[in-house]
Structures are given as C-alpha cells and as structure tokens.
Amino acid sequence: MPAPARLAGEAPIGVLALQGDFREHADVLRALGAEVVLVRRPEELALVGGLVIPGGESSVMDKLARMFGLFEPLSDAVAAGLPVYGTCAGLIMLADTVLDGITGQQSIGGLDIVVRRNAFGSQAASFETELDVSGLAGGPMHAAFIRAPVVETVGPAATALARLADGRCVAVEQGSLLGTSFHPEITGDYRFHEYFLRRVAAAAFRR
Ligand code: GLN
C-alpha cells in the first residue's frame, strides 16, 4: 500500500494550533510523511487539504478561535467538506450539541452528535483501555482517555465507530468528519491518523 502522504497528494495537513497537544499530532502526521501546517490564522487554514483539531480544553479553544478570527472560517471549511479529525477537545469542537460546556461555550459543529464534556468525572478522569474500532484492521486499539467526553447521542447522520464495554460511544464519523474521545497521538498507534490521511486523499479536497 502506498504511504499515506503520497495518497494525501499535494495539500498539506493542518493542525489547529491555538491550544492543546497540537505538537504531538504534528509529529505523528510528519512521521507518516505528511507536510504539516500549524493553523492559527485563516490564511493558514486556507492552505490545507485536511485539518486535525487536537485535545486540550475546548472552552479555551473556542474562545481563542473566536479571538483569532478563526471560528467562522472553521465553520465554513467544515460546511464546505474539508476533512477534519477531532480528538477529545477537538471532538467537542465538532459536535453539534455540547453538554456541560461553560457558559457561552460554542462549537463549530458538523457532527450530528450530542457530546458530554468531562463525562468520566473525577474518579476515572483519565484511563486507558482496549477498543475495537470498526473499519480499522489490525486488532483492538489501545486508547488513552484524558478528562474525556463521551458521545451521548449519535444522531442519524453520524456513525459510531467504537464503543466502551458499557456501550458508550467514543468514536464517530460523518462524511468528511472524524472524531475520537481518546488520544491516538500519544499511544504510538497511528492507525487513526493513517485512516484520516486516506480520507483526505479520497476527498481530494481543493480550495
Ligand atoms: N475536558 C476537555 C474539554 O472539555 C477535553 C480534554 C482533552 O482534550 N483531553 O475540552
């Protein structure tokens, strides 16, 4: 199989770099051969053929996106079909509905899901587990959850890709959007990033 970066073609992959663990995502994408652009401004967003929104703190990311004039361009890009992969806080940013957000918290939306922030409470705020992910060959994925959200409702337009043993959904896709409650960028298993790069290539998104 050709390397994902070859599949991804010419367009670089953006990583939203306002806040959170954007460096880890950039490292993974580069290790997979992609050219990476750190996105902090609309001009940078305009260069990319796909975008990763990292983990971090969604309420802060939302505020910074608005402050940096990126919120509308991000919404427009999602609406135009830009492939976007959100992890953890990034998943929250892509959810149409966010529960337990701070007052005034907004999300870009695009995924027909209801997400609850910090869904595991203080007892199990962070944990790791094995997950079967539909569509990912190679066996279960070791997944790290850090003050993670869960997808409480998967709307009709979205598809659940992975669930915890108790049935709660922690990975979804819908059209060009992909989201996980967990952090594949820190566990050394890059199948989700490879999957995303193949989707970017398939979408052959061109501005
Ligand atoms: N709890 C964070 C939020 O609400 C997400 C945590 C993470 O991205 N690891 O944005």
Side-chain angles (χ1 to χ4, degrees), residues 3-66:
R6 290 217 169 277
L7 284 171
E10 309 272 302
I13 305 297
V15 181
L16 188 65
L18 297 173
Q19 189 268 338
D21 74 336
F22 56 87
R23 289 177 198 84
E24 286 79 356
H25 280 286
D27 288 347
V28 172
L29 293 165
R30 286 192 191 107
L32 294 173
E35 185 192 342
V36 173
V37 170
L38 297 182
V39 172
R40 297 189 178 93
R41 295 185 299 186
E43 306 86 86
E44 290 153 351
L45 181 63
L47 299 174
V48 304
L51 180 74
V52 172
I53 306 183
E57 184 51 52
S58 57
S59 58
V60 178
M61 222 181 276
D62 161 42
K63 274 187 193 157
L64 291 173
R66 284 188 266 155

Side-chain angles (χ1 to χ4, degrees), residues 100-145:
D100 292 342
I102 67 164
T103 305
Q105 181 167 349
Q106 297 177 22
S107 62
I108 298 159
L111 285 172
D112 179 18
I113 56 173
V114 179
V115 152
R116 185 176 298 279
R117 292 177 68 221
N118 303 320
F120 298 98
S122 53
Q123 291 272 305
S126 300
F127 62 97
E128 299 185 17
T129 189
E130 303 300 312
L131 277 183
D132 284 315
V133 181
S134 95
L136 280 199
M141 180 160 212
H142 187 74
F145 293 80

Side-chain angles (χ1 to χ4, degrees), residues 55-58 88-89 92 117-118 146-147 183:
E57 184 51 52
S58 57
C88 205
I92 296 168
R117 292 177 68 221
N118 303 320
I146 304 166
R147 292 176 295 105
H183 290 267

